[in-house]
């Protein structure tokens, strides 16, 4: 008997097979849109290492998880800001946004219009299913007039967005619309977008049969298919006639295809003529005009950066909170701790800041969580270590000092009171020591050195490197002396305690 041969599916290369079967309902057009994108990518000749896909929340948003590319399933409505950040940080990437109408045109609507206006070089595929499918079929900004949804049970009275018209009005240089029943044209449009320099927008009409279809006589696939197939396909469609009505054929085609300098190109031309712009992608700082098109990262392609031998292993996330008055440099200290842990010790770190309403002087805090494993929340709820540099900040944040934790203070400026006995208080006259060094403003760096001597979760080498990279040019010597002063004070204190 001949053994059956199991062949790879032609699309396997770009799919995460372990995630299949997908969650989409039978009859949903999402599969055909994803399939067209896979085909377009395969024909594009792009190096898939330089392609990233970003999606938001909703049924369409699941696509990012199914594609075997660098992909981000981001927060609701924020796919475009993530994609914009990716493209600006690494212009070599081809960045695709694959998301739904609810995500892109409702909660993310503002991002969509401004990305089109700026002409950010991202490729946006918006699958318009006419409602919020994943959450049960509520009406949204693209629900056609008179259509029934769970929130428009008598028929929608609002005029829906004509998305292609909106994008054209915002200045998008490439705008097209097809339906999920037109895979061939979808693939062609996606291929053109992948080559286009600038913001490209493709709307794919794919009504949700499960929630929208069953309330609008489109539940049966043959009815849905008939509705889509009656679309009018034109070589040069008139965008003013592209409104969608449930009882009329949908106008499809390529509405806009013109040349306009992309956001990055315009930025480079205008700004780099006036200021020096550097490229940091390779080994160091290279003036942008001298930077290679590809970064000089060939140093060790694909090889993870070397983990330092002195890297502290942090079994459970350590929560750190620094508090002081505005202007004391609390934010900078938090940033240095986070950078030291994440960049130089190769651990994980998250960093957040909070300010009082005053521009200067009110109590402010920065919070850092560090761990060797995953960190699941950015919020410091029960600090293990608190550093407080002023009485006003103590009064505000004393409530966060929990039993058994460590409290580091400026001993001249903070009078701790009403604390549980189990709190370990460690004090340094950081402001006075800074004044002795000649500059009171480096009191934060003195206390940072003290913190480094006492806290085992970040290596000294990492803190020194992070400090050097975070302080303004011309202040290195003073800051390094301040750090050393605090560090030596802490070490001496430890030795005396040990005796
Ligand atoms: S709920 Fe609607 S949009 Fe979501 S997968 Fe099902 S058919 Fe598709």
């Amino acid at each position: 008997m001949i053994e059956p041969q199991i062949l790879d599916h032609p699309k396997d290369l770009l799919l995460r097979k372990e995630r299949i079967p997908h969650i989409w309902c039978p009859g949903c057009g999402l599969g055909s849109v994803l399939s067209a994108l896979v085909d377009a990518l395969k024909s594009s000749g792009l190096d898939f290492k330089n392609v990233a896909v970003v999606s938001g929340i909703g049924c369409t948003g699941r696509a990012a998880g199914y594609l075997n590319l660098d992909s981000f399933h981001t927060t609701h409505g924020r796919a475009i800001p993530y994609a914009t950040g990716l493209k600006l940080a690494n212009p070599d990437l081809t960045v695709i946004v694959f998301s739904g109408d609810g995500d892109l045109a409702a909660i993310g609507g503002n991002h969509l219009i401004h990305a089109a206006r700026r002409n950010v070089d991202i490729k946006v595929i918006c699958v318009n299913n006419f409602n919020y499918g994943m959450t049960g079929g509520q009406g949204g900004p693209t629900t056609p007039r008179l259509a029934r949804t769970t929130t428009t049970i008598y028929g929608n009275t609002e005029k829906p967005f004509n998305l292609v018209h909106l994008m054209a009005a915002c200045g998008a240089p490439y705008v097209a619309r097809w339906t999920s029943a037109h895979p061939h044209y979808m693939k062609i449009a996606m291929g053109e977008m992948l080559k286009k320099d600038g913001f490209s927008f493709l709307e794919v009409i794919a009504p949700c049969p499960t929630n929208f279809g069953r309330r609008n006589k489109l539940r049966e696939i043959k009815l849905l298919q008939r509705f889509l197939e009656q679309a009018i396909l034109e070589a040069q469609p008139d965008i003013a006639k592209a409104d969608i009505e449930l009882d009329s054929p949908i106008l499809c085609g390529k509405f806009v295809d013109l040349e306009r300098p992309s956001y990055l190109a315009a930025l480079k031309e205008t700004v780099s003529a006036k200021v020096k712009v550097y490229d940091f992608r390779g080994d160091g700082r290279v003036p942008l005009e001298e930077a290679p098109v590809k970064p000089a990262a060939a140093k060790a392609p694909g090889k993870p950066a070397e983990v330092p031998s002195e890297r502290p292993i942090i079994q459970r996330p350590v929560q750190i909170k620094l508090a002081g008055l505005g202007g004391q440099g609390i934010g900078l200290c938090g940033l240095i701790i986070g950078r030291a842990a994440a960049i130089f010790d190769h651990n994980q770190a998250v960093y957040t800041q909070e300010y009082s309403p005053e521009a200067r002087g009110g109590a402010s805090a920065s919070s850092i969580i560090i761990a060797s494993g995953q960190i699941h929340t950015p919020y410091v709820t029960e600090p293990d270590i608190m550093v407080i540099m002023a009485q006003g900040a103590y009064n505000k944040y004393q409530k966060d000092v929990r039993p058994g934790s460590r409290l580091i203070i400026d001993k001249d400026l903070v009078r701790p009171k009403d604390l549980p006995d189990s709190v370990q208080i460690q004090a340094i006259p950081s402001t006075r020591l800074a004044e002795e060094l000649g500059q009171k403003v480096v009191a934060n760096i003195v206390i940072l050195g003290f913190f480094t001597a006492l806290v085992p979760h970040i290596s000294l080498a990492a803190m020194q490197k992070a400090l050097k990279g975070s302080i303004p040019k011309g202040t290195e010597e003073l800051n390094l002396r301040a750090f050393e002063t605090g560090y030596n004070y802490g070490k001496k204190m430890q030795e005396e305690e040990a005796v």
Side-chain angles (χ1 to χ4, degrees):
M1 191 180 117
I2 302 170
E3 282 293 312
Q5 205 183 349
I6 298 174
L7 299 173
D8 283 343
H9 190 278
K11 298 193 202 303
D12 277 358
L13 173 70
L14 278 168
L15 292 178
R16 295 179 203 240
K17 286 194 284 178
E18 71 281 9
R19 296 260 179 124
I20 306 292
H22 56 70
I23 63 149
W24 295 323
C25 308
C28 181
L30 276 165
S32 110
V33 190
L34 187 70
S35 179
L37 177 60
V38 169
D39 288 343
L41 281 165
K42 282 175 66 180
S43 312
S44 67
L46 288 168
D47 178 353
F48 298 143
K49 285 201 210 81
N50 286 330
V51 179
V53 176
V54 184
S55 64
I57 297 300
C59 298
T60 316
R62 306 294 293 215
Y66 297 140
L67 284 165
N68 191 16
L69 294 163
D70 279 341
S71 54
F72 298 85
H73 188 184
T74 64
T75 44
H76 205 353
R78 310 299 174 228
I80 290 204
Y82 274 86
T84 303
L86 270 177
K87 184 67 189 176
L88 295 186
N90 186 351
D92 299 329
L93 288 180
T94 297
V95 181
I96 301 165
V97 171
F98 193 107
S99 215
D101 53 306
D103 187 72
L104 287 169
I107 188 167
N110 221 3
H111 301 304
L112 181 69
I113 58 174
H114 290 292
R117 176 182 65 80
R118 292 187 179 114
N119 199 15
V120 181
D121 185 10
I122 54 179
K123 292 84 185 55
V124 179
I125 297 164
C126 175
V127 182
N128 181 355
N129 64 11
F130 292 162
N131 73 157
Y132 290 97
M134 183 174 261
T135 50
Q138 297 86 352
T142 56
T143 303
R145 261 181 18 88
L146 302 180
R148 290 169 192 268
T149 69
T150 52
T151 52
T152 58
I153 53 173
Y154 302 110
N156 181 33
T157 53
E158 299 173 14
K159 180 173 167 31
F161 269 142
N162 173 341
L163 285 178
V164 288
H165 204 169
L166 177 68
M167 290 294 90
C170 292
Y174 186 97
V175 181
R177 176 197 280 159
W178 294 104
T179 82
S180 56
H182 300 100
H184 176 66
Y185 293 117
M186 260 195 284
K187 181 189 157 190
I188 292 175
M190 290 168 180
E192 289 177 344
M193 291 164 78
L194 292 172
K195 289 198 190 106
K196 188 86 187 167
D197 187 17
F199 186 90
S200 315
F201 183 83
L202 170 65
E203 179 185 22
V204 180
I205 307 296
C208 158
T210 301
N211 284 311
F212 184 87
R214 74 179 147 121
R215 295 184 175 88
N216 294 282
K217 302 195 179 86
L218 294 171
R219 176 73 182 101
E220 282 179 54
I221 299 310
K222 63 176 185 219
L223 296 176
L224 187 57
Q225 193 71 6
R226 200 174 299 153
F227 170 68
L228 296 177
E229 282 177 357
Q230 67 180 2
I232 301 169
L233 317 186
E234 285 188 9
Q236 290 180 316
D238 179 355
I239 207 160
K241 295 183 181 154
D243 279 348
I244 293 178
E245 302 281 352
L246 267 188
D247 56 1
S248 310
I250 297 168
L251 184 58
C252 289
K254 183 163 63 173
F255 296 91
V256 181
D257 190 359
L258 47 85
E259 296 306 318
R260 182 158 89 84
S262 71
Y263 179 70
L264 266 171
L267 195 67
K268 199 169 165 183
E269 191 184 322
T270 310
V271 179
S272 62
K274 299 190 176 128
V275 294
K276 202 89 180 152
V277 182
Y278 292 96
D279 183 312
F280 288 90
R281 291 171 295 164
D283 279 340
R285 227 166 64 139
V286 182
L288 194 59
E289 61 274 17
E290 293 166 25
V293 178
K294 296 279 171 205
K299 199 172 127 198
K303 202 172 137 194
E306 219 167 279
V307 176
S309 56
E310 68 271 26
R311 173 200 185 204
I313 301 298
I314 308 166
Q315 300 294 1
R316 70 162 186 87
V318 173
Q319 300 189 13
I320 303 164
K321 190 158 191 168
L322 315 180
L325 299 181
Q328 279 190 308
I330 288 300
L332 178 65
C333 283
L335 202 58
I336 292 171
I337 292 172
R339 282 180 179 159
I343 299 173
F344 299 109
D345 272 343
H346 294 255
N347 280 316
Q348 308 289 327
V350 292
Y351 162 75
T352 52
Q353 274 186 292
E354 60 187 82
Y355 297 99
S356 51
E358 299 93 332
R360 219 171 162 77
S364 65
S366 63
S367 301
I368 312 101
I369 304 177
I370 55 175
S372 295
Q374 284 193 340
I375 298 170
H376 298 288
T377 170
Y379 298 111
V380 166
T381 48
E382 297 189 326
D384 301 287
I385 304 159
M386 284 199 69
V387 179
I388 303 186
M389 289 190 63
Q391 191 64 36
Y394 180 84
N395 297 341
K396 181 171 177 183
Y397 294 107
Q398 183 227 331
K399 61 180 179 0
D400 295 336
V401 182
R402 63 180 185 87
S405 65
R406 183 197 294 255
L407 174 64
I408 296 173
I409 54 170
D410 183 311
K411 68 156 62 161
D412 295 333
L413 301 185
V414 179
R415 294 271 172 274
K417 56 180 182 199
D418 304 329
L419 288 178
D421 290 343
S422 58
V423 174
Q424 183 189 8
I425 300 175
Q426 292 170 311
I428 176 172
S430 49
T431 305
R432 198 172 357 125
L433 290 171
E435 280 169 345
E436 285 168 18
L437 290 169
Q439 287 275 3
K440 187 176 155 186
V441 288
V442 291
N444 62 333
I445 305 300
V446 175
I447 213 161
L448 191 68
F450 185 61
F451 168 95
T452 307
L454 305 179
V455 171
H457 309 296
I458 306 160
S459 71
L460 172 62
M463 285 293 257
Q464 286 169 325
K465 284 183 202 161
L467 174 65
K468 278 186 202 156
S470 306
I471 49 180
K473 282 211 175 328
T475 67
E476 291 94 339
E477 200 204 326
L478 175 65
N479 277 293
L480 290 176
R481 271 197 297 133
F483 182 84
E484 200 181 314
T485 302
Y487 183 82
N488 291 341
Y489 192 98
K491 281 290 163 202
K492 190 158 169 251
M493 195 177 87
Q494 275 182 327
E495 281 164 21
E496 285 167 3
E497 281 171 4
V499 176

